[in-house]
Amino acid sequence: MELLSTAWNSRASAISFAPLITPNSCNTSHFQHPSLPPQRLSFPFCPYPFRFVPNKSLTLQARKRNSEPEQQPLVSPTMSNTAGKVIKCKAAVAWEAGKPLVIEEVEVAPPQKHEVRLKILFTSLCHTDVYFWEAKGQNPLFPRIFGHEAGGIVESVGEGVTELQPGDHVLPVFTGECKECAHCKSEESNLCDLLRINTDRGTMLNDGKSRFSKDGKPIYHFVGTSTFSEYTVSHVGSVAKINPAAPLDKVCVLSCGICTGFGATANVAKPKKGSSVAIFGLGAVGLAAAEGARVSRASRIIGVDLNSNRFEEAKKFGVNEFVNPKDHNKPVQEVIAEMTNGGVDRSVECTGSIQAMISAFECVHDGWGVAVLVGVPNKDDAFKTHPINFLNERTLKGTFYGNYKHRTDLPGVVEKYMNKEMELDKFITHSVSFSEINKAFEYMLAGEGIRCIIRMEH
């Protein structure tokens, strides 16, 4: 998550409240405010199969003309032979904070009740992995296997798992959808009570034990996914089944940052056609938010960032105007208000900077402006603004994972990509083999690129 800090300014404050969120997750583990109903997406299908046609060849020809070829799940003999057994495989283990990951042979235990074991084919590096690998400002937990953006195949399932089977193509996600709790049953929330992200937990919910070990000693999990391993175990509620025809090396990035930013705009801010949108922070999440504005057909998409070098790249995602707060001697919200005759219709903050959050709220137009907060602030930050900004009918919202219920919604998001309604390829700027995973960290630490795909290459 790209942080904007000292150059942000805010208006004189008269009201203050501390954010009810903590800075220890992909967005956070404890969002307390419910969000708007997410847009529901579903697989398109034809309810009218060909039947009772006397000429079988004509039936087959009709199927070929009117439907996509059926994709069979990929089930290898190896997968069918490993069910119920411990698997030895390669994993990139973080033994110490900030030290290069080490490719080790680890043991992955079979899935237990309500768990699935996944064969990871592609994974990518998110800034959250780096944040907890560096262990700055939170409780260190090592040794650990990081990784939470990935695509893979179900290898085996544990007791009680009925909705997934070996061979299914899936996306593991850092949060969950149990479909039973009050949040999961609500159309206004995607904050699962059972599987809400917990970055301090390094074991499985079922028995409090790790499924990873080396030389008989446990290795900790990360946010229930740990995708920097050729095989991993997740709770079934944290795994979304998708179209097997979707390229996993592309759609794997939907597991975290892209959905977070895209959904914040498309599902929560909901800009109208021809409207104006300001995006604060042009990292991966911010660019995804800009993409959401572009797909929503906003006419003015204003990118705000302290790094002017990001402006050129942002044009690919629909950003057509740019503001660097350091180039002005007045608060950036005032600059944007002057540019837009009173303020933008929508703003999306993707930085984690409390000053950027205040600016994002105060730059929206009175009467109808909506600001959406995505970034995670420091735990001691306080949001300050004048009450008149609320009384003048500006709206402030928060969001978690773009308001997507991942088991329900991710299959439809994948279909949007398959139907060319959503672009993912431009987010992927690097690709490395699993043995070169530390290069992905180097790229991110140097600020190079957006997403780096890591090929597991079994």
Side-chain angles (χ1 to χ4, degrees):
M1 199 171 295
E2 292 68 31
L3 301 179
L4 308 183
S5 52
T6 55
W8 297 102
N9 296 295
S10 63
R11 297 175 184 174
S13 61
I15 187 171
S16 171
F17 59 88
L20 297 177
I21 50 183
T22 57
N24 61 349
S25 63
C26 289
N27 277 312
T28 181
S29 59
H30 301 292
F31 271 74
Q32 300 297 320
H33 46 278
S35 43
L36 288 183
Q39 295 177 349
R40 289 289 171 257
L41 305 169
S42 61
F43 275 117
F45 71 99
C46 177
Y48 306 110
F50 289 97
R51 292 183 179 177
F52 307 117
V53 180
N55 189 323
K56 292 184 178 180
S57 63
L58 291 178
T59 305
L60 293 174
Q61 290 173 10
R63 288 183 188 274
K64 290 179 180 179
R65 286 195 301 267
N66 294 289
S67 66
E68 293 294 325
E70 183 178 358
Q71 298 289 329
Q72 297 296 327
L74 177 58
V75 184
S76 69
T78 301
M79 291 167 60
S80 62
N81 292 335
T82 53
K85 302 177 183 178
V86 171
I87 290 179
K88 290 185 178 182
C89 70
K90 293 179 181 179
V93 180
W95 291 101
E96 297 179 59
K99 296 296 179 66
L101 306 188
V102 181
I103 302 296
E104 304 275 15
E105 182 180 79
V106 301
E107 294 185 339
V108 185
Q112 302 302 306
K113 188 175 182 180
H114 301 313
E115 297 174 358
V116 294
R117 188 161 58 186
L118 310 177
K119 179 179 182 179
I120 301 299
L121 298 181
F122 298 94
T123 186
S124 61
L125 180 66
C126 172
H127 189 271
T128 302
D129 295 308
V130 176
Y131 180 78
F132 283 90
W133 165 73
E134 291 179 324
K136 295 179 179 178
Q138 18 75 28
N139 297 325
L141 190 61
F142 296 94
R144 204 170 199 181
I145 298 175
F146 289 102
H148 63 283
E149 281 189 357
I153 299 170
V154 175
E155 176 271 335
S156 60
V157 302
E159 177 188 347
V161 176
T162 58
E163 55 268 59
L164 292 173
Q165 61 183 2
D168 285 343
H169 287 217
V170 295
L171 300 180
V173 180
F174 62 90
T175 181
E177 183 186 355
C178 72
K179 299 190 176 182
E180 298 294 334
C181 70
H183 281 283
C184 286
K185 291 181 178 179
S186 170
E187 293 184 353
E188 300 186 45
S189 174
N190 65 343
L191 303 176
C192 178
D193 285 331
L194 177 66
L195 298 167
R196 194 174 301 190
I197 184 173
N198 183 342
T199 57
D200 290 331
R201 185 174 60 235
T203 57
M204 300 300 293
L205 280 174
N206 183 53
D207 57 6
K209 297 179 180 179
S210 175
R211 302 291 174 260
F212 296 109
S213 64
K214 179 173 175 58
D215 300 328
K217 298 181 180 180
I219 300 174
Y220 293 113
H221 293 251
F222 180 63
V223 295
T225 52
S226 293
T227 61
F228 293 166
S229 174
E230 292 178 327
Y231 287 86
T232 191
V233 177
S234 294
H235 191 284
V236 65
S238 296
V239 178
K241 180 181 177 180
I242 64 168
N243 185 346
L248 291 174
D249 61 330
K250 301 294 192 301
V251 299
C252 66
V253 298
L254 293 172
S255 292
C256 182
I258 308 308
C259 276
T260 296
F262 188 91
T265 304
N267 296 342
V268 185
K270 296 182 179 179
K272 297 179 181 178
K273 178 182 178 181
S275 61
S276 57
V277 181
I279 307 295
F280 285 73
L282 297 177
V285 176
L287 293 175
E291 180 74 0
R294 184 190 69 80
V295 171
S296 300
R297 303 178 72 181
S299 61
R300 297 183 71 180
I301 305 176
I302 304 170
V304 185
D305 202 292
L306 296 173
N307 184 355
S308 297
N309 294 330
R310 289 178 168 174
F311 293 166
E312 191 64 32
E313 182 75 18
K315 293 179 181 178
K316 300 177 184 177
F317 300 86
V319 176
N320 47 32
E321 298 179 62
F322 305 95
V323 176
N324 187 330
K326 295 188 294 185
D327 294 340
H328 303 273
N329 57 8
K330 64 179 68 175
V332 70
Q333 55 265 46
E334 295 182 12
V335 174
I336 293 174
E338 291 175 0
M339 291 171 58
T340 55
N341 192 28
V344 290
D345 301 309
R346 302 289 187 267
S347 71
V348 183
E349 178 280 325
C350 305
T351 70
S353 161
I354 195 66
Q355 295 302 329
M357 294 178 180
I358 295 168
S359 298
F361 174 58
E362 295 183 352
C363 81
V364 298
H365 206 290
D366 58 2
W368 62 80
V370 177
V372 178
L373 305 185
V374 179
V376 182
N378 292 323
K379 62 181 180 179
D380 297 325
D381 283 338
F383 186 102
K384 300 178 181 180
T385 191
H386 199 286
I388 198 67
N389 289 319
F390 292 99
L391 296 175
N392 284 339
E393 300 181 355
R394 292 179 177 88
T395 300
L396 180 66
K397 296 181 178 181
T399 181
F400 174 71
Y401 191 52
N403 266 46
Y404 288 113
K405 293 179 185 283
H406 73 275
R407 293 170 74 188
T408 300
D409 296 333
L410 263 189
V413 179
V414 169
E415 291 306 301
K416 278 184 171 289
Y417 170 72
M418 298 293 285
N419 295 331
K420 302 186 185 306
E421 299 172 30
M422 181 181 187
E423 297 179 21
L424 295 179
D425 299 47
K426 59 188 177 184
F427 288 96
I428 301 169
T429 53
H430 296 82
S431 176
V432 299
S433 65
F434 189 35
S435 62
E436 300 174 311
I437 189 170
N438 287 303
K439 284 188 177 180
F441 281 75
E442 293 171 7
Y443 291 141
M444 180 159 288
L445 291 171
E448 297 179 16
I450 304 171
R451 275 294 183 264
C452 179
I453 299 298
I454 300 160
R455 307 181 303 274
M456 302 307 287
E457 298 177 337
H458 289 261

